[in-house]
Amino acid sequence: MQNSAQECELNLNVRYLLWQAQGQKVHGTWGDRLQAWSELLATWLVCSSGRAKQILYGRERLNQGDLTTLQKNLTMDDDRFMAFQNTRLCQVEGCSIWQENIVFLLTTLQHGRYQELAEYLKIDRATLSKWKSKITKARSSHKEKLRIFFGISPEIDLEQYPLFLSIEPFSIAEKKQHLKDKIDALDEEVCTQLFPALEKLLS
């Protein structure tokens, strides 16, 4: 029987495998990334993309059949499959969480804000480009300023937590934009039905 901590690590490991398979980049909007990952996971698990999405959100558990199917379809040897079930893969496989988080954050950055970030950190834009291309690695001394600039919660340690595996926005500004995008995508009938509830919620 899996406990909640194990389920959380499994969920993180699934996202790590998807991140590796999808070229390790953010795909357009957050909704695009979630859609791409849920479709790929559905292929791996031979299930619907809807169920795959629920698994990614942590609302549904991977059962033993899912794990067996995943091992088979990804041709994981027994050692990696054991690690997948019991450890955090991105750590045991030598992935630099700090560096990948920096690359991820820079990838989500709007082009016009590059100069703003460079000035805030008191570095040049070329340094940011080197971080993004992994030519050089950001110093830990930049961690607090990066957290503030990107609106990241103080509870998240960028050297320890794999933010690059996120499927949902992490900053207030992005959360607002994400909600706006969802509202803009509603068709007229659904918008009319949801309007009273949304109006009440936002009042």
Side-chain angles (χ1 to χ4, degrees):
M1 187 79 170
Q2 297 167 3
N3 59 39
S4 58
Q6 285 177 312
E7 288 177 22
C8 183
E9 291 302 305
L10 268 178
N11 183 281
L12 205 59
N13 284 343
V14 167
R15 283 185 271 148
Y16 175 68
L17 294 176
L18 290 163
W19 172 80
Q20 284 186 318
Q22 293 267 316
Q24 308 176 3
K25 299 294 182 183
V26 178
H27 297 274
T29 66
W30 286 99
D32 293 335
R33 170 178 258 213
L34 177 61
Q35 187 64 30
W37 283 11
S38 61
E39 288 176 359
L40 181 56
L41 182 58
T43 301
W44 289 351
L45 296 178
V46 194
C47 69
S48 69
S49 60
R51 179 168 183 263
K53 191 174 293 185
Q54 293 302 307
I55 289 171
L56 287 176
Y57 274 127
R59 297 168 185 162
E60 190 165 332
R61 293 176 50 184
L62 287 168
N63 57 43
Q64 191 55 53
D66 293 328
L67 294 173
T68 301
T69 301
L70 195 65
Q71 181 185 20
K72 177 184 177 181
N73 288 339
L74 296 186
T75 60
M76 283 192 278
D77 61 34
D78 289 341
D79 288 340
R80 193 176 195 223
F81 186 56
M82 185 68 70
F84 168 77
Q85 295 181 88
N86 298 290
T87 62
R88 185 172 288 188
L89 278 182
C90 61
Q91 289 179 321
V92 300
E93 295 193 344
C95 173
S96 172
I97 292 175
W98 167 246
Q99 188 171 44
E100 295 300 343
N101 278 341
I102 298 302
V103 172
F104 172 70
L105 290 172
L106 293 176
T107 302
T108 65
L109 196 63
Q110 294 294 324
H111 182 72
R113 298 199 71 199
Y114 263 79
Q115 186 61 37
E116 184 182 346
L117 176 59
E119 291 175 1
Y120 181 66
L121 296 177
K122 297 181 179 179
I123 60 176
D124 55 40
R125 288 188 57 166
T127 298
L128 292 180
S129 296
K130 289 178 181 178
W131 290 356
K132 189 175 180 180
S133 59
K134 301 183 185 179
I135 295 173
T136 60
K137 186 183 291 188
R139 297 193 304 272
S140 297
S141 58
H142 292 300
K143 181 165 64 173
E144 182 60 15
K145 280 195 168 184
L146 284 166
R147 184 191 66 74
I148 293 171
F149 185 88
F150 284 97
I152 299 167
S153 169
E155 288 76 33
I156 294 178
D157 186 339
L158 289 173
E159 292 184 276
Q160 299 297 323
Y161 182 78
L163 195 67
F164 63 94
L165 301 180
S166 300
I167 55 171
E168 293 183 313
F170 50 85
S171 71
I172 295 299
E174 283 194 313
K175 286 177 180 178
K176 288 182 178 180
Q177 185 60 49
H178 184 60
L179 290 174
K180 183 178 181 301
D181 290 342
K182 281 183 171 292
I183 291 173
D184 288 344
L186 294 175
D187 62 38
E188 291 183 8
E189 183 179 351
V190 174
C191 183
T192 300
Q193 292 173 349
L194 292 180
F195 181 79
L198 289 172
E199 175 68 17
K200 183 178 180 180
L201 182 65
L202 297 174
S203 294

